Coordinates of all heavy atoms in Angstrom, one line a residue:
M1 N -13.4 21.5 41.7 CA -12.8 20.5 42.6 C -11.4 20.1 42.2 O -11.1 19.9 41.1 CB -13.7 19.2 42.6 CG -13.2 18.1 43.5 SD -14.2 16.7 43.6 CE -13.6 15.8 42.2
S2 N -10.5 20.2 43.2 CA -9.1 19.8 42.9 C -9.0 18.3 42.8 O -9.6 17.6 43.6 CB -8.3 20.3 44.0 OG -7.0 19.8 43.9
L3 N -8.2 17.8 41.9 CA -8.0 16.4 41.8 C -6.6 16.0 42.2 O -6.0 15.0 41.6 CB -8.3 15.9 40.3 CG -9.8 16.1 39.9 CD1 -9.9 15.6 38.5 CD2 -10.7 15.3 40.8
K4 N -6.0 16.7 43.1 CA -4.7 16.4 43.5 C -4.6 15.0 44.1 O -3.5 14.4 44.1 CB -4.2 17.4 44.6 CG -4.0 18.8 44.1 CD -3.6 19.8 45.2 CE -3.4 21.2 44.6 NZ -3.1 22.1 45.7
W5 N -5.7 14.5 44.6 CA -5.6 13.1 45.2 C -5.3 12.1 44.2 O -4.8 11.0 44.5 CB -7.0 12.8 45.8 CG -8.1 12.7 44.8 CD1 -8.9 13.7 44.4 CD2 -8.5 11.5 44.1 NE1 -9.7 13.2 43.4 CE2 -9.5 11.9 43.3 CE3 -8.1 10.2 44.2 CZ2 -10.2 11.0 42.4 CZ3 -8.7 9.3 43.3 CH2 -9.8 9.7 42.5
L6 N -5.4 12.4 42.9 CA -5.1 11.4 41.8 C -3.6 11.2 41.7 O -3.2 10.3 41.0 CB -5.6 11.9 40.5 CG -7.1 11.8 40.3 CD1 -7.5 12.4 39.0 CD2 -7.6 10.4 40.4
R7 N -2.8 11.9 42.5 CA -1.4 11.7 42.5 C -1.0 10.2 42.9 O 0.1 9.8 42.6 CB -0.7 12.6 43.5 CG -0.8 12.3 44.9 CD -0.2 13.3 45.8 NE -0.3 12.9 47.2 CZ -1.4 12.8 47.9 NH1 -2.5 13.1 47.4 NH2 -1.4 12.4 49.2
F8 N -1.9 9.5 43.6 CA -1.6 8.1 43.9 C -1.6 7.2 42.7 O -1.3 6.0 42.7 CB -2.4 7.6 45.0 CG -3.9 7.4 44.7 CD1 -4.3 6.2 44.1 CD2 -4.8 8.3 45.1 CE1 -5.7 6.0 43.9 CE2 -6.2 8.1 44.9 CZ -6.6 7.0 44.2
S9 N -2.0 7.8 41.5 CA -2.1 7.0 40.3 C -0.8 7.3 39.5 O -0.2 8.4 39.6 CB -3.2 7.5 39.4 OG -3.2 6.9 38.2
D10 N -0.3 6.3 38.8 CA 0.9 6.5 38.0 C 0.7 7.1 36.7 O 1.6 7.2 35.8 CB 1.6 5.1 37.8 CG 0.8 4.1 37.0 OD1 -0.3 4.5 36.4 OD2 1.2 3.0 36.8
G11 N -0.6 7.7 36.5 CA -0.9 8.3 35.2 C -1.4 7.3 34.2 O -1.9 7.7 33.1
K12 N -1.3 6.1 34.4 CA -1.8 5.0 33.5 C -3.0 4.3 34.1 O -3.4 3.3 33.6 CB -0.7 4.0 33.2 CG 0.5 4.6 32.5 CD 1.5 3.6 32.2 CE 2.7 4.2 31.6 NZ 3.9 4.0 32.3
G13 N -3.5 4.9 35.2 CA -4.7 4.3 35.8 C -4.3 3.3 36.9 O -5.2 2.7 37.5
N14 N -3.0 3.1 37.2 CA -2.6 2.1 38.2 C -2.3 2.8 39.5 O -1.6 3.8 39.5 CB -1.3 1.4 37.7 CG -1.6 0.7 36.4 OD1 -2.5 0.0 36.2 ND2 -0.6 0.9 35.5
A15 N -2.9 2.3 40.6 CA -2.8 2.9 41.9 C -1.5 2.5 42.5 O -1.0 1.4 42.2 CB -3.9 2.5 42.8
N16 N -0.9 3.4 43.3 CA 0.3 3.1 44.0 C -0.1 3.1 45.5 O -0.1 4.1 46.1 CB 1.4 4.1 43.8 CG 2.7 3.8 44.5 OD1 2.7 2.9 45.3 ND2 3.7 4.6 44.2
P17 N -0.3 1.9 46.1 CA -0.8 1.8 47.5 C 0.1 2.5 48.5 O -0.4 2.9 49.5 CB -1.0 0.3 47.7 CG -1.0 -0.3 46.4 CD -0.2 0.6 45.5
Q18 N 1.4 2.5 48.2 CA 2.3 3.1 49.2 C 2.1 4.6 49.4 O 2.4 5.1 50.4 CB 3.8 2.9 48.8 CG 4.2 1.4 48.9 CD 3.8 0.6 47.7 OE1 3.4 1.1 46.7 NE2 3.7 -0.7 48.0
E19 N 1.5 5.2 48.4 CA 1.3 6.7 48.5 C -0.2 7.0 48.8 O -0.5 8.2 48.9 CB 1.6 7.3 47.2 CG 3.1 7.2 46.9 CD 3.5 7.9 45.5 OE1 2.7 8.8 45.1 OE2 4.5 7.5 45.0
M20 N -1.1 6.1 49.0 CA -2.5 6.3 49.3 C -2.7 6.8 50.7 O -2.2 6.2 51.7 CB -3.3 5.1 49.0 CG -3.6 4.8 47.6 SD -4.8 3.5 47.6 CE -4.5 2.9 45.9
K21 N -3.6 7.7 50.9 CA -4.1 8.1 52.2 C -5.3 7.1 52.5 O -5.8 6.5 51.6 CB -4.7 9.5 52.2 CG -3.6 10.5 52.0 CD -4.1 11.9 52.0 CE -3.0 13.0 51.8 NZ -3.6 14.3 51.7
P22 N -5.6 6.9 53.7 CA -6.7 6.0 54.0 C -8.0 6.2 53.2 O -8.6 5.2 52.7 CB -6.9 6.2 55.5 CG -5.6 6.6 56.1 CD -5.0 7.5 55.0
Y23 N -8.4 7.4 53.1 CA -9.7 7.7 52.3 C -9.5 7.3 50.8 O -10.4 6.9 50.2 CB -10.2 9.1 52.5 CG -9.5 10.2 51.8 CD1 -9.8 10.5 50.5 CD2 -8.4 10.8 52.4 CE1 -9.1 11.5 49.9 CE2 -7.7 11.9 51.8 CZ -8.1 12.2 50.5 OH -7.4 13.2 49.9
E24 N -8.2 7.5 50.4 CA -8.0 7.2 49.0 C -8.1 5.7 48.7 O -8.5 5.2 47.6 CB -6.6 7.6 48.6 CG -6.5 9.1 48.5 CD -5.0 9.6 48.3 OE1 -4.1 8.9 48.7 OE2 -4.9 10.8 47.8
E25 N -7.8 4.8 49.7 CA -8.0 3.4 49.6 C -9.5 3.1 49.4 O -9.9 2.3 48.6 CB -7.5 2.6 50.8 CG -6.0 2.6 50.9 CD -5.5 1.8 52.1 OE1 -6.3 1.1 52.7 OE2 -4.3 1.9 52.4
L26 N -10.3 3.8 50.2 CA -11.8 3.6 50.0 C -12.3 4.1 48.6 O -13.1 3.4 48.0 CB -12.5 4.4 51.1 CG -14.0 4.3 51.1 CD1 -14.5 2.8 51.2 CD2 -14.6 5.1 52.2
V27 N -11.8 5.2 48.2 CA -12.1 5.7 46.9 C -11.7 4.7 45.8 O -12.5 4.4 44.9 CB -11.5 7.1 46.6 CG1 -11.5 7.5 45.2 CG2 -12.1 8.1 47.5
E28 N -10.5 4.2 45.9 CA -10.0 3.2 44.9 C -10.9 2.0 44.9 O -11.2 1.4 43.9 CB -8.6 2.8 45.3 CG -7.9 1.9 44.3 CD -7.6 2.5 42.9 OE1 -7.5 3.7 42.8 OE2 -7.5 1.7 42.0
F29 N -11.3 1.5 46.1 CA -12.1 0.3 46.2 C -13.5 0.5 45.6 O -13.9 -0.3 44.8 CB -12.3 -0.1 47.7 CG -13.3 -1.2 47.9 CD1 -13.0 -2.5 47.6 CD2 -14.5 -0.9 48.5 CE1 -13.9 -3.5 47.8 CE2 -15.4 -1.9 48.7 CZ -15.1 -3.2 48.3
I30 N -14.1 1.6 45.9 CA -15.4 1.9 45.4 C -15.3 2.0 43.8 O -16.1 1.4 43.1 CB -16.0 3.3 45.9 CG1 -16.3 3.1 47.4 CG2 -17.2 3.7 45.2 CD1 -16.6 4.4 48.1
A31 N -14.3 2.8 43.4 CA -14.2 3.0 41.9 C -13.9 1.7 41.2 O -14.3 1.5 40.0 CB -13.1 4.0 41.6
S32 N -13.2 0.8 41.8 CA -12.8 -0.4 41.1 C -13.9 -1.5 41.1 O -13.8 -2.5 40.3 CB -11.5 -1.0 41.7 OG -11.7 -1.4 43.0
L33 N -14.9 -1.4 41.9 CA -15.9 -2.4 41.9 C -16.6 -2.5 40.6 O -16.7 -3.6 40.0 CB -17.0 -2.1 43.0 CG -16.5 -2.2 44.4 CD1 -17.6 -1.7 45.3 CD2 -16.2 -3.6 44.8
S34 N -17.1 -1.5 40.0 CA -17.6 -1.4 38.7 C -17.6 0.1 38.3 O -18.5 0.8 38.6 CB -19.1 -1.9 38.7 OG -19.7 -1.6 37.4
P35 N -16.5 0.5 37.7 CA -16.3 1.9 37.3 C -17.5 2.5 36.6 O -17.9 3.6 37.0 CB -15.1 1.9 36.4 CG -14.3 0.7 36.9 CD -15.3 -0.3 37.2
R36 N -18.2 1.8 35.7 CA -19.3 2.3 35.0 C -20.5 2.5 36.0 O -21.1 3.6 35.9 CB -19.8 1.3 33.9 CG -21.0 1.7 33.2 CD -20.9 2.9 32.3 NE -19.7 2.8 31.4 CZ -19.1 3.9 30.9 NH1 -19.4 5.1 31.2 NH2 -18.0 3.7 30.1
E37 N -20.7 1.6 36.9 CA -21.8 1.8 37.9 C -21.5 2.9 38.8 O -22.4 3.7 39.2 CB -22.1 0.5 38.7 CG -22.8 -0.6 37.8 CD -23.0 -1.8 38.6 OE1 -22.2 -2.2 39.5 OE2 -24.0 -2.5 38.3
V38 N -20.3 3.1 39.2 CA -19.9 4.2 40.1 C -20.2 5.5 39.4 O -20.8 6.4 40.0 CB -18.4 4.1 40.6 CG1 -18.0 5.4 41.3 CG2 -18.2 2.9 41.4
V39 N -19.7 5.7 38.2 CA -20.0 6.9 37.4 C -21.5 7.2 37.3 O -21.9 8.3 37.3 CB -19.3 6.8 36.0 CG1 -19.7 7.9 35.1 CG2 -17.8 6.8 36.2
E40 N -22.2 6.1 37.0 CA -23.7 6.3 36.8 C -24.5 6.4 38.1 O -25.7 6.7 38.0 CB -24.2 5.2 35.9 CG -23.6 5.2 34.5 CD -23.9 4.0 33.7 OE1 -24.6 3.1 34.2 OE2 -23.6 4.0 32.5
F41 N -23.9 6.2 39.2 CA -24.7 6.2 40.5 C -25.3 7.6 40.7 O -24.7 8.6 40.6 CB -23.8 5.8 41.7 CG -24.6 5.9 43.0 CD1 -25.4 5.0 43.4 CD2 -24.4 7.1 43.8 CE1 -26.2 5.1 44.6 CE2 -25.1 7.2 45.0 CZ -26.0 6.2 45.4
R42 N -26.6 7.5 41.1 CA -27.3 8.7 41.6 C -28.1 8.4 42.8 O -28.8 7.3 42.8 CB -28.3 9.2 40.5 CG -27.6 9.6 39.2 CD -26.8 10.9 39.3 NE -26.2 11.3 38.0 CZ -25.0 10.9 37.7 NH1 -24.2 10.2 38.5 NH2 -24.5 11.3 36.5
P43 N -28.1 9.2 43.8 CA -28.9 8.9 45.0 C -30.4 8.9 44.6 O -30.8 9.5 43.6 CB -28.6 10.0 46.0 CG -27.3 10.7 45.4 CD -27.3 10.4 44.0
S44 N -31.2 8.2 45.4 CA -32.6 8.2 45.2 C -33.2 9.6 45.3 O -32.6 10.5 46.0 CB -33.3 7.3 46.2 OG -33.3 7.8 47.5
E45 N -34.4 9.8 44.8 CA -35.1 11.1 44.9 C -35.3 11.4 46.3 O -35.2 12.5 46.8 CB -36.4 11.0 44.1 CG -37.1 12.3 44.1 CD -36.4 13.5 43.5 OE1 -35.6 13.3 42.6 OE2 -36.5 14.6 44.1
N46 N -35.7 10.4 47.1 CA -35.9 10.6 48.6 C -34.7 11.1 49.3 O -34.8 12.0 50.1 CB -36.5 9.3 49.2 CG -37.9 9.0 48.9 OD1 -38.6 9.8 48.4 ND2 -38.3 7.7 49.1
A47 N -33.5 10.5 49.0 CA -32.3 10.9 49.6 C -31.9 12.3 49.2 O -31.6 13.1 50.1 CB -31.2 9.9 49.2
R48 N -32.1 12.6 47.9 CA -31.7 14.0 47.4 C -32.7 15.0 48.1 O -32.2 16.1 48.5 CB -31.9 14.1 45.9 CG -30.7 13.4 45.2 CD -30.7 13.7 43.7 NE -31.9 13.4 43.0 CZ -32.2 12.3 42.3 NH1 -31.4 11.4 42.3 NH2 -33.4 12.2 41.7
Q49 N -34.0 14.7 48.2 CA -34.9 15.6 48.8 C -34.6 15.8 50.3 O -34.7 16.9 50.8 CB -36.3 15.1 48.6 CG -37.4 16.1 49.1 CD -37.3 17.4 48.3 OE1 -37.1 17.4 47.1 NE2 -37.4 18.5 49.0
R50 N -34.2 14.7 51.0 CA -33.9 14.8 52.4 C -32.7 15.8 52.7 O -32.8 16.6 53.5 CB -33.6 13.4 53.0 CG -33.0 13.4 54.4 CD -34.1 13.5 55.4 NE -33.5 13.3 56.7 CZ -33.9 14.0 57.8 NH1 -34.9 14.9 57.7 NH2 -33.3 13.9 58.9
V51 N -31.7 15.6 51.9 CA -30.5 16.4 52.0 C -30.9 17.9 51.6 O -30.5 18.8 52.3 CB -29.3 15.9 51.1 CG1 -28.2 16.9 51.1 CG2 -28.9 14.5 51.6
W52 N -31.6 18.1 50.5 CA -32.0 19.4 50.1 C -32.8 20.1 51.2 O -32.6 21.3 51.5 CB -32.8 19.4 48.8 CG -33.2 20.7 48.3 CD1 -34.4 21.3 48.4 CD2 -32.3 21.7 47.7 NE1 -34.4 22.5 47.8 CE2 -33.1 22.8 47.4 CE3 -30.9 21.7 47.4 CZ2 -32.6 23.9 46.8 CZ3 -30.4 22.9 46.8 CH2 -31.2 24.0 46.5
D53 N -33.7 19.4 51.8 CA -34.5 19.9 52.9 C -33.7 20.4 54.1 O -33.8 21.5 54.6 CB -35.5 18.9 53.3 CG -36.4 19.4 54.5 OD1 -37.1 20.4 54.3 OD2 -36.4 18.7 55.6
M54 N -32.7 19.5 54.5 CA -31.9 19.9 55.6 C -31.0 21.1 55.3 O -30.8 22.0 56.1 CB -31.0 18.7 56.0 CG -31.8 17.7 56.8 SD -30.7 16.4 57.5 CE -30.2 15.5 56.1
I55 N -30.5 21.2 54.0 CA -29.7 22.3 53.6 C -30.5 23.6 53.7 O -30.1 24.6 54.2 CB -29.1 22.1 52.2 CG1 -28.0 21.0 52.3 CG2 -28.5 23.4 51.6 CD1 -27.5 20.5 50.9
E56 N -31.7 23.6 53.1 CA -32.6 24.7 53.1 C -33.0 25.2 54.5 O -32.9 26.3 54.8 CB -33.9 24.4 52.3 CG -33.6 24.4 50.8 CD -33.0 25.7 50.3 OE1 -33.6 26.8 50.5 OE2 -32.0 25.6 49.6
R57 N -33.3 24.2 55.4 CA -33.6 24.5 56.8 C -32.4 25.1 57.5 O -32.6 26.0 58.4 CB -34.2 23.3 57.5 CG -35.6 23.0 57.0 CD -36.3 22.0 57.9 NE -35.7 20.7 57.7 CZ -35.2 19.9 58.7 NH1 -35.3 20.3 59.9 NH2 -34.7 18.8 58.4
Q58 N -31.2 24.6 57.2 CA -30.0 25.1 57.9 C -29.7 26.6 57.5 O -29.2 27.3 58.3 CB -28.8 24.2 57.5 CG -27.6 24.6 58.2 CD -26.4 23.7 57.9 OE1 -26.3 23.2 56.8 NE2 -25.5 23.5 58.8
K59 N -30.1 27.0 56.3 CA -29.9 28.3 55.9 C -30.7 29.3 56.7 O -30.3 30.4 57.0 CB -30.3 28.5 54.4 CG -29.3 27.8 53.5 CD -29.8 28.0 52.0 CE -28.9 27.3 51.0 NZ -29.4 27.5 49.6
S60 N -31.9 28.9 57.1 CA -32.8 29.8 57.8 C -32.8 29.6 59.3 O -33.2 30.5 60.1 CB -34.2 29.7 57.3 OG -34.7 28.4 57.5
A61 N -32.4 28.5 59.8 CA -32.4 28.2 61.2 C -31.4 27.1 61.5 O -31.0 26.4 60.6 CB -33.8 27.8 61.7
S62 N -31.0 27.0 62.7 CA -30.1 25.9 63.1 C -30.8 24.6 63.2 O -31.9 24.5 63.6 CB -29.5 26.4 64.5 OG -28.9 25.3 65.1
L63 N -30.1 23.6 62.6 CA -30.7 22.2 62.6 C -30.5 21.6 64.0 O -29.5 21.9 64.7 CB -30.0 21.3 61.6 CG -30.2 21.6 60.2 CD1 -29.3 20.7 59.3 CD2 -31.7 21.4 59.8
P64 N -31.4 20.7 64.4 CA -31.1 20.0 65.7 C -29.8 19.2 65.5 O -29.4 18.8 64.4 CB -32.3 19.0 65.8 CG -33.3 19.5 64.8 CD -32.6 20.3 63.8
P65 N -29.1 18.9 66.6 CA -27.8 18.2 66.6 C -27.8 16.9 65.8 O -26.9 16.7 65.0 CB -27.5 18.0 68.0 CG -28.2 19.0 68.8 CD -29.5 19.3 68.0
D66 N -28.9 16.1 65.9 CA -28.9 14.9 65.1 C -29.0 15.1 63.6 O -28.4 14.4 62.8 CB -30.1 14.0 65.6 CG -31.4 14.6 65.5 OD1 -31.6 15.8 65.6 OD2 -32.4 13.8 65.3
E67 N -29.8 16.1 63.2 CA -29.9 16.4 61.8 C -28.6 17.1 61.3 O -28.2 16.8 60.1 CB -31.1 17.2 61.5 CG -32.4 16.5 61.6 CD -33.6 17.2 61.1 OE1 -33.6 18.5 61.2 OE2 -34.5 16.6 60.6
K68 N -28.0 17.9 62.1 CA -26.7 18.5 61.7 C -25.6 17.4 61.5 O -24.9 17.4 60.5 CB -26.2 19.5 62.8 CG -24.8 20.1 62.6 CD -24.8 21.0 61.4 CE -23.5 21.7 61.4 NZ -22.7 21.5 60.1
A69 N -25.6 16.4 62.4 CA -24.7 15.3 62.2 C -25.0 14.5 61.0 O -24.1 14.1 60.2 CB -24.7 14.4 63.4
E70 N -26.3 14.3 60.7 CA -26.7 13.6 59.5 C -26.3 14.3 58.2 O -25.7 13.7 57.3 CB -28.2 13.4 59.5 CG -28.8 12.6 58.3 CD -30.3 12.5 58.4 OE1 -30.9 12.9 59.4 OE2 -30.8 12.0 57.4
L71 N -26.5 15.6 58.2 CA -26.1 16.4 57.1 C -24.6 16.4 56.9 O -24.1 16.3 55.8 CB -26.6 17.8 57.2 CG -26.3 18.8 56.1 CD1 -26.9 18.3 54.8 CD2 -26.9 20.2 56.4
D72 N -23.8 16.5 58.0 CA -22.4 16.4 57.9 C -21.9 15.1 57.3 O -21.0 15.1 56.5 CB -21.7 16.6 59.3 CG -21.9 18.0 59.8 OD1 -22.2 18.9 59.0 OD2 -21.7 18.2 61.0
H73 N -22.6 14.0 57.7 CA -22.2 12.7 57.1 C -22.5 12.7 55.6 O -21.7 12.1 54.8 CB -23.0 11.6 57.8 CG -22.5 11.3 59.1 ND1 -21.2 10.7 59.4 CD2 -23.0 11.4 60.4 CE1 -21.0 10.6 60.7 NE2 -22.1 11.0 61.3
Y74 N -23.7 13.2 55.2 CA -24.0 13.2 53.8 C -22.9 14.0 53.0 O -22.5 13.6 51.9 CB -25.4 13.9 53.5 CG -26.5 13.0 53.8 CD1 -27.6 13.5 54.7 CD2 -26.6 11.7 53.3 CE1 -28.7 12.7 55.0 CE2 -27.7 10.9 53.7 CZ -28.7 11.4 54.5 OH -29.8 10.6 54.8
I75 N -22.5 15.1 53.6 CA -21.5 15.9 52.9 C -20.2 15.1 52.7 O -19.5 15.2 51.7 CB -21.3 17.3 53.6 CG1 -22.5 18.1 53.5 CG2 -20.0 18.0 53.1 CD1 -22.6 19.3 54.4
E76 N -19.8 14.4 53.8 CA -18.6 13.6 53.7 C -18.7 12.5 52.6 O -17.8 12.2 51.8 CB -18.3 13.0 55.0 CG -17.8 13.9 56.1 CD -17.7 13.3 57.5 OE1 -17.8 12.1 57.6 OE2 -17.6 14.1 58.4
I77 N -19.9 11.8 52.6 CA -20.1 10.8 51.6 C -20.1 11.4 50.2 O -19.6 10.8 49.3 CB -21.5 10.1 51.9 CG1 -21.3 9.3 53.2 CG2 -21.9 9.2 50.8 CD1 -22.6 8.8 53.8
E78 N -20.7 12.5 50.0 CA -20.8 13.2 48.7 C -19.3 13.4 48.2 O -19.0 13.2 47.1 CB -21.5 14.5 48.8 CG -21.5 15.3 47.6 CD -22.2 14.7 46.3 OE1 -23.0 13.8 46.5 OE2 -21.9 15.2 45.2
H79 N -18.5 13.9 49.1 CA -17.1 14.2 48.8 C -16.4 12.9 48.3 O -15.7 12.8 47.3 CB -16.3 14.8 50.0 CG -14.9 15.1 49.7 ND1 -14.5 16.0 48.8 CD2 -13.8 14.5 50.1 CE1 -13.2 16.0 48.7 NE2 -12.7 15.1 49.5
L80 N -16.6 11.8 49.1 CA -16.0 10.5 48.7 C -16.5 10.0 47.4 O -15.8 9.5 46.6 CB -16.2 9.5 49.8 CG -15.3 9.6 51.0 CD1 -15.7 8.6 52.1 CD2 -13.8 9.4 50.7
M81 N -17.8 10.2 47.2 CA -18.4 9.7 45.9 C -17.9 10.5 44.7 O -17.6 9.9 43.7 CB -19.9 9.7 46.0 CG -20.5 8.6 46.7 SD -20.0 6.9 46.1 CE -20.6 6.9 44.5
R82 N -17.7 11.8 44.9 CA -17.1 12.6 43.8 C -15.7 12.1 43.5 O -15.3 12.0 42.3 CB -17.0 14.1 44.2 CG -18.4 14.7 44.2 CD -18.3 16.2 44.6 NE -19.6 16.8 44.7 CZ -20.0 17.7 43.8 NH1 -19.2 18.1 42.8 NH2 -21.2 18.3 43.9
L83 N -14.9 11.8 44.5 CA -13.6 11.3 44.3 C -13.6 9.9 43.6 O -12.8 9.6 42.7 CB -12.8 11.2 45.6 CG -12.5 12.5 46.3 CD1 -11.8 12.2 47.7 CD2 -11.5 13.4 45.5
A84 N -14.5 9.1 44.1 CA -14.6 7.7 43.5 C -15.1 7.8 42.0 O -14.6 7.1 41.2 CB -15.6 6.9 44.3
K85 N -16.0 8.7 41.7 CA -16.4 8.9 40.3 C -15.3 9.4 39.5 O -15.1 8.9 38.3 CB -17.6 9.9 40.3 CG -18.9 9.2 40.8 CD -20.1 10.1 40.6 CE -21.4 9.4 41.1 NZ -22.5 9.9 40.4
A86 N -14.5 10.3 40.0 CA -13.4 10.8 39.2 C -12.4 9.7 38.9 O -11.9 9.5 37.8 CB -12.7 12.0 39.9
R87 N -12.1 8.9 40.0 CA -11.2 7.7 39.8 C -11.8 6.7 38.8 O -11.1 6.2 38.0 CB -10.9 7.1 41.2 CG -10.1 5.9 41.1 CD -8.6 6.2 40.7 NE -7.8 5.1 40.7 CZ -7.0 4.7 39.8 NH1 -6.8 5.5 38.7 NH2 -6.3 3.6 39.9
A88 N -13.1 6.5 38.9 CA -13.8 5.5 38.1 C -13.7 6.0 36.6 O -13.4 5.2 35.7 CB -15.2 5.3 38.5
R89 N -13.9 7.3 36.4 CA -13.7 7.8 35.0 C -12.3 7.6 34.5 O -12.1 7.3 33.3 CB -14.1 9.3 35.0 CG -15.5 9.6 35.1 CD -15.9 11.1 34.9 NE -17.3 11.3 35.3 CZ -17.7 11.7 36.5 NH1 -16.8 12.0 37.4 NH2 -19.0 11.9 36.7
Q90 N -11.3 7.8 35.4 CA -9.9 7.5 35.0 C -9.7 6.1 34.6 O -9.1 5.8 33.6 CB -9.0 7.9 36.1 CG -7.5 7.9 35.8 CD -6.7 8.3 37.0 OE1 -6.9 7.7 38.1 NE2 -5.7 9.2 36.7
L91 N -10.3 5.2 35.4 CA -10.2 3.7 35.1 C -10.8 3.4 33.8 O -10.3 2.6 33.0 CB -10.8 2.9 36.2 CG -10.1 2.9 37.6 CD1 -10.9 2.2 38.7 CD2 -8.7 2.2 37.5
L92 N -12.0 4.0 33.5 CA -12.7 3.7 32.3 C -11.9 4.3 31.1 O -11.9 3.6 30.0 CB -14.1 4.3 32.3 CG -15.1 3.6 33.2 CD1 -16.4 4.5 33.4 CD2 -15.4 2.2 32.7
A93 N -11.3 5.4 31.3 CA -10.5 6.0 30.2 C -9.3 5.1 29.8 O -8.8 5.2 28.7 CB -10.0 7.4 30.6
H94 N -8.8 4.3 30.8 CA -7.7 3.5 30.6 C -8.1 2.0 30.3 O -7.3 1.1 30.4 CB -6.7 3.5 31.7 CG -6.0 4.9 31.8 ND1 -6.5 5.9 32.5 CD2 -4.9 5.3 31.2 CE1 -5.7 7.0 32.4 NE2 -4.7 6.6 31.6
G95 N -9.4 1.8 30.0 CA -9.9 0.5 29.6 C -9.9 -0.5 30.7 O -9.9 -1.7 30.4
E96 N -10.0 -0.1 32.0 CA -10.1 -1.1 33.1 C -11.5 -1.3 33.5 O -12.4 -0.6 33.3 CB -9.3 -0.6 34.3 CG -7.8 -0.5 33.9 CD -7.0 -0.1 35.1 OE1 -7.3 -0.3 36.2 OE2 -5.9 0.5 34.8

């Protein structure tokens, strides 16, 4: 995963809001709530199983539109959480 989005940081863990994209603001917010909790967050077993089931079914057949939309949302959320976790790790590394 590319971490080019971290460019909005000054390298010392401080965000520069003038350079943030809208999704970066959300990532920054999530990561700053409790960096340790963000890093340690894991979806429930039920959530993981639901996503895994949809991914497996999509491989062999087309998902109904509502499940396709649901899976697309999960993928977007997963991307944001990966970014938030990377940012939270950066904050923790700088003692914030």
Side-chain angles (χ1 to χ4, degrees):
M1 176 176 87
S2 171
L3 296 180
K4 291 180 182 177
W5 67 273
L6 287 175
R7 75 184 184 290
F8 69 83
S9 171
D10 65 4
K12 298 180 182 122
N14 301 314
N16 182 350
Q18 290 78 23
E19 295 182 25
M20 283 189 198
K21 293 180 181 176
Y23 74 88
E24 291 170 334
E25 288 181 13
L26 178 60
V27 166
E28 183 71 22
F29 172 73
I30 292 169
S32 67
L33 291 174
S34 172
R36 177 68 51 208
E37 288 179 326
V38 171
V39 168
E40 294 173 355
F41 174 80
R42 300 288 179 266
S44 70
E45 183 59 35
N46 287 342
R48 288 192 305 264
Q49 188 59 46
R50 171 83 176 140
V51 172
W52 181 255
D53 178 60
M54 285 189 290
I55 290 170
E56 288 300 308
R57 287 188 293 125
Q58 184 180 29
K59 289 178 183 178
S60 61
S62 163
L63 290 175
D66 60 328
E67 287 188 331
K68 174 68 171 121
E70 182 182 352
L71 182 57
D72 289 344
H73 287 293
Y74 284 130
I75 291 169
E76 291 171 11
I77 291 167
E78 172 67 16
H79 179 69
L80 284 175
M81 282 306 296
R82 286 177 185 254
L83 294 174
K85 285 183 178 208
R87 177 68 177 134
R89 285 186 190 97
Q90 186 182 49
L91 292 170
L92 289 169
H94 290 92
E96 295 181 27

